[in-house]
Amino acid sequence: MEPNIELAKPRDFGEIISDTFMFIRQNFKGLLKSFFIFCGFFLVAGALAMCIMQYKTNYATTRQVAGVAAEFGNLSELAVSIIGVMVFALLSFTANLTTIICYVTLYKNKANTEPTTEEMWAYFKYYFLRVLGASIVIWLLLSVGYMVCLIPGIWLFPILGLIFPIMIIENASFGYAFSRAFKLISNNWWITAGAVFIVWLIAYCMMFFISLPLSLVNVSSMLLRPQVMPTVSMGQIVLGSVLQQLMQVILVIPTVGICLCYFNLTESKDGTSLLNRIDKFGEQNTQPDLPSEEY
């Protein structure tokens, strides 16, 4: 029987990639269960918001092509639906990120065993708002970096990604996690950036190939009916919205990958796992599974 993967150890570039998929394979059921339990509500709400937005967009486009003037009420409803999609996209991303990193944290704290739903819930509710606030700040920083020049945004991307595992695994504040991310990645930017790029590239390629059949159906339906106004049916809207939400499960890949990058950096620089094993040699583990602030 294959032993459970050890998270806290130094890894080279290839090991980060391979161990990312090994961890997901060994914990596939637990990760999938946690994903749908803690992200399910946001997925359903996001799909509904996406359906409403696409319906409103389709309706407005049809009226515009037909030469009917747009009404203020319709435009305001479209704007609200777009904002709703953006809000639920942020909440879904935050729930996804929090769930997976909490799973990884508990897995490590429980000596490489799957956490229970109760343990996951305790961690999730404690860190969700923290991660949400950090996500907004990081999104703004990356946006500024990409707008000022493409290079600063690329340079910041792997560094800022480390903030999330630091906040949850080390139970740290955003300010501490921000400064620690820069310290950890010093002299290790290339291997971290390369690993992050590869896992994100794999995730995006998987999303592209999964959504490709539906995209081809949508394009074909419009090309085969050139005399008809190019609109998308309600069935296509619903199917596309649901598929787009379900594909968020693929984001488990880059999230686990950035966690392994974090463990690689901490073990290479601090050797925390080895030191902890030496300190606790011969002692019983009396530490609770919940964050210390919960008590």
Side-chain angles (χ1 to χ4, degrees):
M1 182 177 179
E2 185 181 40
N4 288 342
I5 188 172
E6 179 70 34
L7 292 174
K9 70 174 187 179
R11 291 175 169 87
D12 59 27
F13 176 83
E15 288 175 327
I16 293 174
I17 306 301
S18 61
D19 284 358
T20 294
F21 290 95
M22 182 181 294
F23 179 84
I24 294 172
R25 179 170 57 83
Q26 290 183 348
N27 296 270
F28 183 77
K29 292 182 179 179
L31 286 169
L32 202 63
K33 175 184 175 182
S34 297
F35 174 82
F36 283 108
I37 289 176
F38 299 105
C39 304
F41 169 78
F42 301 104
L43 297 181
V44 173
L48 290 174
M50 183 70 70
C51 286
I52 294 172
M53 185 201 72
Q54 291 189 7
Y55 175 79
K56 295 293 183 182
T57 303
N58 197 28
Y59 178 75
T61 303
T62 303
R63 290 174 62 87
Q64 184 178 7
V65 173
V68 181
E71 299 177 0
F72 176 78
N74 294 330
L75 293 178
S76 61
E77 290 176 0
L78 177 59
V80 170
S81 65
I82 293 173
I83 294 174
V85 169
M86 295 173 63
V87 168
F88 282 112
L90 176 62
L91 293 175
S92 296
F93 173 79
T94 302
N96 194 334
L97 201 63
T98 306
T99 299
I100 303 309
I101 300 179
C102 285
Y103 187 100
V104 170
T105 304
L106 281 164
Y107 176 91
K108 177 181 177 294
N109 292 345
K110 289 167 61 67
N112 305 333
T113 57
E114 179 182 332
T116 65
T117 302
E118 291 74 18
E119 291 168 335
M120 283 291 299
W121 169 240
Y123 266 62
F124 181 86
K125 67 182 181 181
Y126 182 79
Y127 287 108
F128 178 78
L129 292 180
R130 289 187 178 191
V131 175
L132 177 60
S135 299
I136 295 172
V137 175
I138 289 173
W139 180 83
L140 292 174
L141 290 174
L142 286 174
S143 298
V144 172
Y146 283 118
M147 285 189 295
V148 172
C149 183
L150 188 62
I151 295 177
I154 296 174
W155 178 71
L156 283 172
F157 185 73
I159 302 174
L160 298 181
L162 291 169
I163 290 177
F164 299 111
I166 294 173
M167 288 180 64
I168 296 179
I169 296 173
E170 299 188 19
N171 193 22
S173 64
F174 177 81
Y176 172 84
F178 187 86
S179 60
R180 180 154 169 76
F182 281 88
K183 293 177 182 178
L184 285 177
I185 207 170
S186 61
N187 302 321
N188 289 281
W189 186 89
W190 284 105
I191 184 174
T192 305
V196 171
F197 173 78
I198 292 298
V199 292
W200 272 105
L201 179 64
I202 293 172
Y204 278 124
C205 287
M206 292 175 66
M207 291 181 181
F208 172 77
F209 284 111
I210 291 174
S211 61
L212 184 60
L214 182 61
S215 300
L216 292 176
V217 169
N218 292 339
V219 173
S220 299
S221 63
M222 288 187 290
L223 293 177
L224 293 174
R225 296 181 300 171
Q227 73 282 2
V228 182
M229 191 175 300
T231 59
V232 180
S233 68
M234 194 61 196
Q236 291 172 313
I237 290 175
V238 173
L239 182 59
S241 300
V242 172
L243 183 62
Q244 187 170 347
Q245 295 300 314
L246 289 177
M247 283 193 300
Q248 291 192 38
V249 72
I250 298 175
L251 297 182
V252 170
I253 298 173
T255 305
V256 172
I258 196 67
C259 287
L260 292 187
C261 288
Y262 161 81
F263 285 120
N264 172 58
L265 294 172
T266 55
E267 292 303 311
S268 298
K269 288 180 175 290
D270 305 332
T272 53
S273 179
L274 178 60
L275 292 175
N276 287 337
R277 284 197 293 267
I278 294 174
D279 292 339
K280 294 179 180 180
F281 183 75
E283 298 179 3
Q284 282 190 332
N285 181 19
T286 58
Q287 295 297 320
D289 287 330
L290 300 182
S292 57
E293 285 83 350
E294 284 286 295
Y295 294 91

